[in-house]
Amino acid sequence: MRTVEEHLATVLAMAERAAPVRQPVSTEPVVLADDLAATLPVPPFDNSAMDGFAVRAADVADVPTRLRVVGDIPAGTAPTRTVHPGEALRIMTGAPMPKGADAVVPVEDTDQPVGDVPVPAHVEVRASVQPGRHVRRMAEDVGVGDVVLRAGTRVSPAVVAAAISVGVGEWSVIPRPRVAVLSTGSELVAAGVRPGPGQIPDSNGPMLAGLVEQFGGVVTAMLRVDDDPAGMRAAMDQLGDVDVVVTTGGVSAGAFEVVRQATGEHVDFVTVAMQPGKPQGIGRWSVGDRQVPLLAFPGNPVSVFVSSWLFLQPLIAAMQGLPAQWPSLELPAAEGWRSPVGRRQYAPVRIVDGAVLPAHRLGSGSHLVASLHLADGLAVVPQEVERVEPGDVVRVHRTDGAWGGTPGT
Ligand code: AMP
Ligand code: MG
């Protein structure tokens, strides 16, 4: 049996970082290939933080005082008029500050009503303002040339907002690895189909597809095949242009292990000292003229979940040039559970009031698929431990949130 670390090293040895491509800025969760510097300052010009009146602070040192309103500055227009002593310009939030003015008096601190009213001839100012008050200074957030986003950042909606705000419309990114997902098993039926005798719904395929997306990959093929090696090989020849192949089922010691039979000498079948997920296949598969990594997971859904977090997530990260990392924390066990000696257990656990308990009362059984969704993470139980006792501290890797693949986090 090999250790999880040894198996992971074999997986990562197959990872090749994809070449960057240029594409329009979008929220597709790709990874930035280069540092991005601002081509526009943020804010792009001095502007008002309030709806109100642009004034000279010195004019409103003593209040109340009356100023002549010499015009209006709606957002999206450039002011042409200078504010001279004794004058004000009505200004809206985000509109550029006019020359001469050095502060904004919010409309609430004047005699003017809020809302859609004609610009008045005069305004009575009832509160003084310091110079600079309610003015957002040009470049106070970011100056031109400042690096706002680092290479290796995974794109999120806020990343998109940052890039667009500094004038970026196109960027170089490491594309998402394209992943083919194959569920094997003659017992499998599609979601929602009532299973016949001996049949079960294929929950692995859709779960794995979702995990691929969660890890930053993109699923370009999702297939279900019977325990028939010729049929499986035919399906494997139709995967299209993919970067990774992941199969479930058909790798253990049964009589009809289709993945073993169909992939032949291209894949090594090994045992890994983990529970669940002991039987694993790993190799390369020819896709056109390329050899892409193939991970063959066992069929039990909890094994698929654990194997995906342990091996597929780091593989996808590495193919995007990101370090393998999986944040963990140490928490006490609220309840005890059993663990097999000689294999490291990854037990689906809930985190309740700062302590962990098994997501299912039967522990980490690899078939307990319907309670897997209750898990906030996987508790790691060392291989020599036979039983986790209440109060024992265990390391827990979270599996609930999206995995943040940004360097330094
Ligand atoms: P296998 O590794 O093919 O022997 O499968 C192990 C167990 O997982 C069996 O009970 C299968 O019925 C079950 N299983 C295999 N594939 C799937 C799947 N795609 N969805 C749900 N359960 C599965
Ligand atoms: Mg099977």
Side-chain angles (χ1 to χ4, degrees):
M1 251 192 311
R2 43 167 87 169
T3 64
V4 167
E5 285 70 24
E6 286 163 351
H7 193 61
L8 177 59
T10 318
V11 171
L12 292 179
M14 297 190 298
E16 275 167 41
R17 186 175 179 274
V21 295
R22 270 195 88 70
Q23 63 184 46
V25 169
S26 82
T27 52
E28 184 188 354
V30 289
V31 170
L32 301 185
D34 302 318
D35 290 352
L36 276 188
T39 64
L40 294 175
V42 181
F45 42 80
D46 291 355
N47 70 87
S48 176
M50 300 290 277
D51 294 329
F53 293 85
V55 301
R56 305 165 74 99
D59 283 356
V60 297
D62 295 314
V63 284
T65 186
R66 234 163 96 83
L67 300 174
R68 204 154 63 81
V69 181
V70 294
D72 226 356
I73 320 168
T77 60
T80 49
R81 191 105 170 41
T82 298
V83 175
H84 297 292
E87 293 180 348
L89 273 171
R90 190 166 73 163
I91 193 165
M92 302 300 147
T93 303
M97 285 295 286
K99 283 207 186 62
D102 57 6
V104 171
V105 176
V107 64
E108 292 83 356
D109 292 336
T110 72
D111 63 344
Q112 294 299 308
V114 298
D116 183 9
V117 292
V119 65
H122 292 90
V123 60
E124 184 184 285
V125 173
R126 295 172 173 167
S128 296
V129 282
Q130 295 296 313
R133 188 77 185 118
H134 302 309
V135 177
R136 303 165 178 158
R137 287 286 166 212
M138 179 169 115
E140 74 181 11
D141 187 1
V142 172
V144 171
D146 288 355
V147 171
V148 276
L149 292 163
R150 290 279 171 201
T153 299
R154 191 181 297 286
V155 171
S156 68
V159 165
V160 168
I164 291 175
S165 71
V166 298
V168 173
E170 218 185 57
W171 51 20
S172 292
V173 299
I174 310 297
R176 292 187 289 167
R178 296 160 299 179
V179 182
V181 169
L182 249 101
S183 305
T184 72
S186 296
E187 72 278 30
L188 303 177
V189 296
V193 172
R194 184 130 205 112
Q199 295 186 319
I200 59 167
D202 170 20
S203 53
N204 282 345
M207 174 176 69
L208 194 44
L211 288 167
V212 166
E213 302 270 340
Q214 191 178 346
F215 300 153
V218 57
V219 175
T220 53
M222 187 164 89
L223 301 175
R224 200 173 54 250
V225 298
D226 286 342
D227 289 322
D228 160 38
M232 175 159 183
R233 265 194 304 272
M236 300 270 288
D237 288 339
Q238 314 277 311
L239 295 179
D241 220 2
V242 296
D243 305 304
V244 182
V245 179
V246 187
T247 67
T248 72
V251 297
S252 44
F256 308 102
E257 302 297 1
V258 64
V259 178
R260 281 179 181 259
Q261 294 167 1
T263 56
E265 76 281 10
H266 301 286
V267 175
D268 288 331
F269 292 92
V270 300
T271 52
V272 181
M274 58 189 277
Q275 190 271 324
K278 181 169 82 164
Q280 296 279 340
I282 180 164
R284 290 182 178 278
W285 193 253
S286 296
V287 172
D289 55 2
R290 293 183 309 136
Q291 299 270 307
V292 305
L294 183 151
L295 302 185
F297 294 156
N300 271 306
V302 183
S303 309
V304 172
F305 185 79
V306 169
S307 303
S308 298
W309 276 98
L310 285 180
F311 307 122
L312 182 58
Q313 183 251 102
L315 176 63
I316 289 175
M319 294 175 83
Q320 296 191 300
L322 300 179
Q325 51 187 340
W326 191 15
S328 66
L329 61 167
E330 290 197 328
L331 293 173
E335 287 174 16
W337 70 87
R338 280 149 40 87
S339 179
V341 175
R343 289 193 280 155
R344 186 190 297 159
Q345 186 185 46
Y346 291 89
V349 289
R350 291 196 295 141
I351 301 175
V352 178
D353 296 335
V356 299
L357 58 161
H360 192 284
R361 69 190 157 74
L362 296 178
S364 70
S366 54
H367 57 295
L368 301 172
V369 58
S371 45
L372 184 55
H373 71 101
L374 298 172
D376 300 305
L378 296 173
V380 186
V381 184
Q383 65 172 29
E384 67 279 5
V385 174
E386 201 171 342
R387 223 196 117 68
V388 175
E389 300 293 348
D392 285 357
V393 171
V394 289
R395 179 157 292 284
V396 181
H397 291 285
R398 293 203 76 119
T399 53
D400 48 352
W403 173 70
T406 302
T409 58

